[in-house]
């Protein structure tokens, strides 16, 4: 019933449910049962880790909105996983991936900037009321906050709310559109990440650089692999969460200092604590990749990172309300059409430059999902590729405010036609 709280509100119980879901998915995925093997050839494990919590949330069993688990996972487990993924990365190999990755990221940004005005114009042709409204209730003001989220992240979204002054109730509806549409697209990407060959063949894409990097990392792992001891595991966790602690320490001081003393840098989201947490953790992990710490990969560093990342996937899934589309369906039509234009532009650019689907998926998610989900999509192709998603997502914070502001102005112009 509407207005009724979730059945389970204790985060300790919710966390237990999420871990039980992950355990069930991975244990059945590793089963020798023929029926299960056929099922998982069609449905990727990461998709279930994402959608089952979404179903629990939609049915009112748990509530992503009332839970602090996503905050904990994104602020503690995400930076820890970034450290563990990047400490064994071949940075030179990533740089050899070439300019196509950056091109697809920028194509994704352009797709969001143009997709919003195009979607609003298209829907407004059939439903003129979406072009109406007065003052803070004008639809385009709310849509501008989605542009901030889909190009940069939460900090950029808040910036657009302040700049264009959308009404609080309208903003709440936009958050629902943002979360549902973005998560549906992420689910699609996770599905195809398990079998990108068909799309790559269609684009006639050269994937050799990606697979060369993947194989090189796999070869490095095989040479240093060993049975981990208790001390190995403690060192891995100590490095991961120690650097996470340092990331928070620096972010808690840097972000407010920049906000107070250099307000002009807010346009780059440099006053965002989360931005600095991600940047410091990633930078520290990359620095460790040039030291003996990279040999921790042999004791399972990236395996711990994957565990943390899948917990984050589950907490992202529980943010999704599959029934929210019924609240204001026209807004969701705009959101879905907006995402369609974004995808169309990305696929067109990918076809023109023969970019692999990996670049399409990660370039898109670096915009739409940011640092919290870009490594998840990149890691769905191969765990060793997760840092590529992080590096591109950081760019989103830098261009998010500018791109979203221009997008908002274009949607304002469309509304005034």
């Amino acid at each position: 019933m509407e207005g009724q709280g979730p059945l389970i509100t204790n985060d300790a119980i919710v966390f237990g449910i999420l871990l039980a879901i992950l355990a069930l998915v991975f244990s059945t995925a590793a089963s020798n049962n023929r029926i299960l093997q056929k099922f998982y050839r069609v449905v990727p494990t990461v998709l279930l880790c994402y959608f089952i919590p979404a179903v629990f949330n939609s049915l009112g069993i748990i509530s992503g909105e009332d839970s602090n688990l996503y905050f904990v996972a994104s602020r503690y487990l995400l930076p820890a996983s970034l450290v563990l993924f990047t400490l064994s990365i071949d940075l030179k190999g990533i740089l050899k991936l070439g300019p196509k990755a950056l091109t697809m990221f920028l194509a994704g940004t352009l797709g969001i900037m143009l997709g919003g005005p195009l979607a609003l114009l298209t829907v407004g042709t059939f439903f003129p009321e979406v072009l109406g409204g007065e003052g803070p209730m004008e639809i385009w003001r709310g849509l501008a906050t989605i542009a901030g989220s889909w190009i940069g992240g939460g900090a950029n979204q808040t910036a657009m709310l302040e700049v264009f002054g959308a009404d609080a109730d309208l903003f709440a509806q936009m958050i629902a559109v943002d979360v549902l549409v973005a998560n549906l697209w992420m689910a699609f990407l996770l599905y195809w990440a398990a079998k990108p060959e068909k799309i790559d063949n269609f684009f006639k894409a050269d994937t050799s650089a990606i697979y060369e990097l993947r194989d090189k990392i796999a070869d490095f792992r095989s040479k240093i692999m060993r049975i981990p001891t208790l001390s190995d595991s403690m060192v891995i966790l100590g490095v991961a969460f120690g650097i996470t602690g340092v990331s928070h320490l620096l972010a808690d001081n840097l972000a407010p200092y920049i906000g107070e003393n250099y307000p002009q840098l807010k346009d780059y989201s440099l006053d965002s604590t989360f931005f600095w947490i991600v940047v410091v953790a990633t930078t520290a992990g990359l620095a460790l990749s040039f030291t003996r710490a990279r040999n921790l990969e042999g004791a399972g560093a990236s395996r711990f990172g994957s565990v943390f990342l899948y917990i984050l996937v589950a907490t992202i899934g529980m943010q999704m309300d599959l029934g929210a589309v019924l609240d204001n369906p026209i807004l969701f039509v705009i959101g879905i059409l907006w995402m369609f234009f974004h995808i169309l532009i990305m696929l067109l650019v990918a076809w023109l430059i023969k970019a692999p689907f990996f670049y399409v998926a990660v370039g898109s998610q670096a915009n739409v999902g940011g640092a919290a989900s870009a490594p998840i999509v990149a890691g769905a192709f191969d765990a060793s590729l997760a840092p590529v998603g992080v590096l591109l997502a950081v760019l989103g914070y830098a261009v998010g405010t500018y791109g979203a502001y221009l997008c908002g102005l274009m949607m304002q112009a469309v509304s005034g036609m």
Side-chain angles (χ1 to χ4, degrees):
M1 293 178 61
E2 189 174 353
Q4 186 176 357
L7 183 64
I8 300 172
T9 57
N10 187 327
D11 270 347
I13 301 174
V14 176
F15 184 69
I17 291 173
L18 296 183
L19 266 292
I21 291 171
L22 294 177
L24 177 65
V25 170
F26 278 92
S27 62
T28 53
S31 170
N32 293 324
N33 183 285
R34 290 184 179 180
I35 296 176
L36 289 174
Q37 288 179 341
K38 289 181 179 178
F39 174 78
Y40 281 104
R41 274 199 291 267
V42 177
V43 181
T45 53
V46 67
L47 194 60
L48 288 179
C49 297
Y50 176 83
F51 256 117
I52 295 176
V55 172
F56 275 56
N57 180 59
S58 301
L59 294 176
I61 299 173
I62 60 178
S63 171
E65 184 179 352
D66 297 335
S67 172
N68 289 317
L69 290 179
Y70 172 73
F71 179 84
V72 171
S74 62
R75 266 52 175 189
Y76 306 142
L77 299 186
L78 173 62
S81 71
L82 296 180
V83 173
L84 296 178
F85 279 130
T86 51
L87 63 80
S88 64
I89 195 64
D90 180 3
L91 186 58
K92 291 182 180 178
I94 287 184
L95 296 176
K96 286 180 181 177
L97 291 176
K100 288 185 180 180
L102 180 60
T103 301
M104 291 313 305
F105 168 80
L106 294 175
T109 302
L110 182 65
I112 297 297
M113 290 175 62
L114 298 180
L118 288 173
L120 184 59
L121 180 63
T122 303
V123 176
T125 302
F126 299 97
F127 301 95
E129 62 269 22
V130 303
L131 303 177
E134 293 183 2
M137 285 303 295
E138 290 178 290
I139 298 295
W140 70 266
R141 297 180 188 273
L143 293 175
T145 66
I146 296 181
S149 175
W150 283 359
I151 297 176
N156 307 85
Q157 183 176 40
T158 304
M160 291 304 99
L161 177 63
E162 294 296 324
V163 169
F164 291 113
D167 179 80
D169 291 336
L170 178 62
F171 181 56
Q173 293 177 336
M174 294 302 168
I175 290 178
V177 175
D178 172 9
V179 172
L180 185 63
V181 176
N183 286 349
L184 285 174
W185 173 229
M186 181 179 173
F188 177 87
L189 292 176
L190 292 175
Y191 177 81
W192 282 102
K195 41 186 174 183
E197 294 82 7
K198 291 182 179 179
I199 300 177
D200 288 336
N201 290 336
F202 176 77
F203 287 154
K204 298 178 180 178
D206 179 12
T207 58
S208 58
I210 298 172
Y211 293 124
E212 182 182 332
L213 174 62
R214 183 196 64 185
D215 295 341
K216 190 175 180 180
I217 294 173
D219 182 58
F220 169 73
R221 286 176 177 170
S222 66
K223 290 179 180 177
I224 62 171
M225 200 63 67
R226 63 183 186 272
I227 298 175
T229 62
L230 177 60
S231 60
D232 286 330
S233 298
M234 287 299 182
V235 170
I236 289 171
L237 293 176
V239 168
F241 287 104
I243 292 177
T244 297
V246 172
S247 301
H248 277 266
L249 176 65
L250 293 176
D252 287 347
N253 289 280
L254 275 172
Y257 177 80
I258 290 173
E260 292 174 10
N261 297 282
Y262 302 96
Q264 67 273 19
L265 295 181
K266 289 183 179 181
D267 291 342
Y268 300 95
S269 296
L270 295 182
D271 64 330
S272 165
T273 303
F274 183 63
F275 170 83
W276 285 110
I277 291 172
V278 169
V279 169
V280 173
T282 304
T283 304
L286 288 172
L288 288 176
S289 71
F290 294 97
T291 72
R292 287 189 297 175
R294 74 192 311 256
N295 291 328
L296 288 173
E297 176 57 30
S302 65
R303 186 168 63 248
F304 278 100
S306 295
V307 170
F308 299 155
L309 207 55
Y310 274 102
I311 293 174
L312 177 62
V313 171
T315 62
I316 291 176
M318 67 180 284
Q319 304 293 310
M320 185 174 178
D321 182 5
L322 299 173
V325 69
L326 302 176
D327 292 341
N328 198 336
I330 292 181
L331 292 181
F332 282 95
V333 171
I334 296 174
I336 291 170
L337 197 57
W338 188 346
M339 188 62 70
F340 170 78
F341 285 124
H342 162 72
I343 297 166
L344 189 64
I345 290 172
M346 289 209 74
L347 293 179
L348 178 61
V349 173
W351 178 74
L352 289 172
I353 68 173
K354 295 181 170 56
F357 181 64
F358 173 76
Y359 294 155
V360 177
V362 177
S364 173
Q365 204 60 31
N367 280 281
V368 178
S373 56
I376 293 173
V377 171
F381 287 84
D382 191 90
S384 63
L385 299 174
V388 180
V390 182
L391 296 176
L392 285 178
V394 169
L395 290 178
Y397 290 111
V399 303
T401 300
Y402 289 113
Y405 180 70
L406 292 174
C407 180
L409 293 180
M410 286 188 283
M411 288 190 288
Q412 181 184 21
V414 167
S415 296
M417 290 175 61

